[in-house]
Amino acid sequence: MNTDVPRQLTPEDSTPPVNPRIPAGTGPFAMATEPNGKLYIANTGSNDVTVIDSSDNTVTTTVPAGTGPSAVAVAPNGNVYITNTGSNDVTVIDSSDNTVTTTVPAGTGPSAVAVAPNGNVYITNTGSNDVTVIDSSDNTVTTTLAAGTGPYAVKVAPNGNVYVSNFASNDVSVFLPTATHAAGVAPPADGDSEQQAP
């Protein structure tokens, strides 16, 4: 016969575990994950990047960036690209040792970044209405593509086409993987109103 007396539940039994909160810099704004599990957080207010090890949720280091880092993307070779809206450039971090390898000039107000499968890095420059293309193999600017007015977000489709949303001209610029100019513009749907900047 089992004589064990069931334990009486306490308030602590119904309290969910507290999720960890990891310290970052001032104004953490964007992040990206590297395949090795490291997270890179762009801190717009403190002009740096917090690196977090996702295996134990610890901050491994803080890397300096330009002025107003606002977006992050990781290339297939492990390079991490940070757009700096205030200083009009891109910080490149080597994820193997979290050091800054170079700073690449961009247009005015670089806002978003995306990396294509071929290693090309696309930076939208909201202030100069264009897109800076960087070769991630040597971190050189290969070309600057004209976009619509106020290019902001950028995404790469599985077929390699690059799509840039132009919030002030209400359209989307489309670039081929080897583009030196826009392949076309997708217009807004009928009745769309002018969108404000995010």
Side-chain angles (χ1 to χ4, degrees), residues 55-66:
S55 67
D56 57 7
N57 292 324
T58 58
V59 175
T60 59
T61 191
T62 300
V63 183

Side-chain angles (χ1 to χ4, degrees), residues 115-118 155-163 177:
V115 182
N118 63 6
K155 291 293 183 182
V156 181
N159 63 2
N161 286 352
V162 181
Y163 295 82

Side-chain angles (χ1 to χ4, degrees), residues 93-175:
I93 300 171
D94 182 345
S95 65
S96 66
D97 58 7
N98 293 321
T99 59
V100 175
T101 59
T102 190
T103 299
V104 182
T108 305
S111 301
V113 55
V115 182
N118 63 6
N120 283 346
V121 183
Y122 295 85
I123 312 292
T124 57
N125 303 304
T126 303
S128 52
N129 301 324
D130 52 29
V131 177
T132 300
V133 183
I134 300 171
D135 183 344
S136 64
S137 67
D138 58 8
N139 294 318
T140 58
V141 175
T142 60
T143 190
T144 300
L145 305 170
T149 306
Y152 191 81
V154 55
K155 291 293 183 182
V156 181
N159 63 2
N161 286 352
V162 181
Y163 295 82
V164 174
S165 64
N166 305 303
F167 69 80
S169 53
N170 297 328
D171 51 27
V172 177
S173 298
V174 185
F175 303 98

